[in-house]
Amino acid sequence: AGFPIPNPFLGIKKENANEYEQLSLAKKCALRWMSHHKKMEKLKNTLKHRLHVVSYEALITDTQNQLLRIQQFLNLEKTIPMPNVKEQSLDKWKNELTKQDILDIQDITGYDPEMTI
């Protein structure tokens, strides 16, 4: 393998290192996502008021409010300009992933893609 083990960035632990290369791309991506998700949860608990987490879904569906929250968190005087938001990006995965990809992701994460996290 061309990466250090364990590799928390990729979600590779000593227990799954031997099988990692044989995993589907969807499972590898899901492991990486899970690793980042767990790290974010840990940071939210340890950094509390010094960290502001913005959900991609909230940024797309509630853009103005999220931008206001970011502005307040950063203590900015100037309003953050409204970006061009593409709501269709929220469902892009439905056209890009195969049924097997979705099952592989669910197998790793335990999350139903129809549910928001």
Side-chain angles (χ1 to χ4, degrees), residues 14-56:
K14 288 181 182 177
E15 305 84 57
N16 70 1
N18 292 333
E19 298 85 30
Y20 184 80
E21 286 299 321
Q22 284 71 46
L23 295 177
S24 70
L25 179 58
K27 284 189 176 190
K28 288 178 183 176
C29 290
L31 278 171
R32 183 181 294 192
W33 179 87
M34 280 296 293
S35 177
H36 288 79
H37 182 69
K38 287 176 182 176
K39 182 67 171 181
M40 183 61 66
E41 290 302 313
K42 186 176 179 181
L43 289 173
K44 284 195 306 192
N45 289 329
T46 57
L47 296 178
K48 297 194 189 331
H49 66 281
R50 296 184 353 212
L51 176 70
H52 179 77
V53 177
V54 179
S55 129
Y56 178 74

